[in-house]
Amino acid sequence: MSESNSGMVDVATLYIVPTPIGNLADITQRALDVLANVDLIAAEDTRHTSRLLSHFSISTRTFALHDHNEQQKADFLIEKLQAGTSIALVSDAGTPLISDPGYHLVNRCRHAGVKVVPLPGPCAVITALSGSGLPSDRFSFEGFLPPKSKGRRDCFQALADDARTLIFYESPHRINDSLSDMLAVLGPDRQVVLARELTKTYETIYGAPLGELIDWIAEDSNRVRGEMVVLVAGHRAQKDELSVEVLRTLTLLAKELPLKKAAALAAEIHGGKKNALYKWGLENLE
């Protein structure tokens, strides 16, 4: 395997390097070795990254790669990689590409046959999930919520029946509005966990039914400060509740068959109760 002069990293290789989301002690020794020995660091904000590098006495050159220039600069960086340059990709905090820049560069590297080496490390999504107390066997990370109320409500409506734990990022100045929109769609009883300032001095992980969580936040304005991860318990169907899937099947069948026959077939397909389906059809389809 060819290596650069440092002997610590490979030439012509892009390293994806997670950086701390708050506590600088969370950086790995491998991440420090890579940052110190690559030829160039592509950083979301070079000023932010320079403070991290200075703390660990690393003097590697940095290059700005952010949302506004990534697509234009990706080809330039690939040319350097193909010429033998080793590059580390970092975002301001956490794992690059996870609601941060880097996708276009990595995607083009893979298509160009450039070696990509991802390092494990800090990620707010996983950190919050592991401490939330919500089911972690199946989850969906949805990134940042839409900035407008209608977009948020549409998002919550589309996910209302999802059984997985849902994870969002949100900013302090929009958290109250976002939770209000969530309340309007999901109701006050859905379990929600707010994780803020993770790994920092004022780290808080608080969970409650949504209505109670909103009241808890209203008691102290400090509870909406800092970077936030919002985790929402997945939908749990009640014993007699008709699932989205069975209702969709019934609706489709009822377009071609008498309602009674459609209800019987939908019940047979999904294991539901045909009388309940027939009643729902009478109220909603005819």
Side-chain angles (χ1 to χ4, degrees):
M1 180 181 292
S2 59
E3 295 182 340
S4 66
N5 293 333
S6 68
M8 299 294 294
V9 296
D10 294 337
V11 299
T13 300
L14 175 68
Y15 291 88
I16 303 172
V17 183
T19 54
I21 58 177
N23 191 325
L24 293 181
D26 290 334
I27 198 164
T28 67
Q29 185 60 53
R30 187 183 177 199
L32 292 174
D33 289 342
V34 168
L35 293 175
N37 290 285
V38 291
D39 299 311
L40 182 66
I41 297 172
E44 181 180 6
D45 185 331
T46 55
R47 293 165 300 178
H48 183 97
T49 298
S50 68
R51 292 192 288 271
L52 174 71
L53 299 178
S54 177
H55 180 83
F56 291 105
S57 301
I58 295 172
S59 57
T60 307
R61 289 187 304 122
T62 59
F63 177 92
L65 188 78
H66 44 71
D67 284 330
H68 303 294
N69 76 350
E70 183 183 353
Q71 295 197 52
Q72 291 73 33
K73 297 297 183 181
D75 289 339
F76 167 74
L77 291 175
I78 288 174
E79 288 178 7
K80 295 187 75 66
L81 286 158
Q82 290 174 327
T85 301
S86 58
I87 299 177
L89 173 66
V90 301
S91 58
D92 288 347
T95 301
L97 282 78
I98 308 302
S99 286
D100 276 327
Y103 164 73
H104 296 290
L105 175 60
V106 173
N107 179 264
R108 292 191 194 179
C109 282
R110 300 292 298 180
H111 281 90
V114 173
K115 183 179 180 182
V116 178
V117 177
L119 276 61
C123 178
V125 175
I126 302 304
T127 302
L129 179 63
S130 66
S132 68
L134 297 179
S136 57
D137 54 336
R138 297 178 67 237
F139 63 92
S140 176
F141 173 55
E142 299 293 325
F144 283 97
L145 284 161
K148 300 292 178 85
S149 178
K150 183 181 184 307
R152 288 193 295 266
R153 293 195 180 203
D154 288 346
C155 174
F156 294 138
Q157 191 65 56
L159 296 167
D161 294 313
D162 197 317
R164 298 170 296 178
T165 296
L166 305 172
I167 308 175
F168 305 91
Y169 283 161
E170 189 51 285
S171 61
H173 68 277
R174 285 207 303 251
I175 186 65
N176 287 320
D177 290 339
S178 290
L179 291 179
S180 293
D181 288 330
M182 188 184 295
L183 180 69
V185 176
L186 302 184
D189 298 325
R190 185 73 70 96
Q191 187 74 12
V192 176
V193 175
L194 178 67
R196 55 176 290 273
E197 294 290 83
L198 290 171
T199 79
K200 301 176 185 177
T201 302
Y202 297 105
E203 174 180 281
T204 304
I205 302 176
Y206 183 85
L210 179 54
E212 294 179 21
L213 178 68
I214 291 173
D215 291 340
W216 176 80
I217 288 174
E219 294 172 0
D220 186 350
S221 61
N222 289 320
R223 291 172 179 169
V224 293
R225 290 186 177 181
E227 301 295 326
M228 297 186 184
V229 184
V230 181
L231 305 97
V232 182
H235 175 69
R236 294 292 178 265
Q238 300 300 312
K239 183 177 181 181
D240 296 325
E241 184 177 350
L242 299 173
S243 70
V244 172
E245 290 80 5
V246 71
L247 295 180
R248 184 180 297 116
T249 300
L250 175 60
T251 301
L252 291 172
L253 290 173
K255 292 179 180 179
E256 305 295 334
L257 299 170
L259 179 58
K260 193 168 186 179
K261 179 64 173 177
L265 283 174
E268 184 176 346
I269 292 170
H270 294 282
K273 295 182 178 180
K274 63 181 180 181
N275 289 340
L277 286 169
Y278 182 66
K279 180 181 178 182
W280 184 90
L282 289 174
E283 296 172 352
N284 295 277
L285 298 179
E286 294 192 342

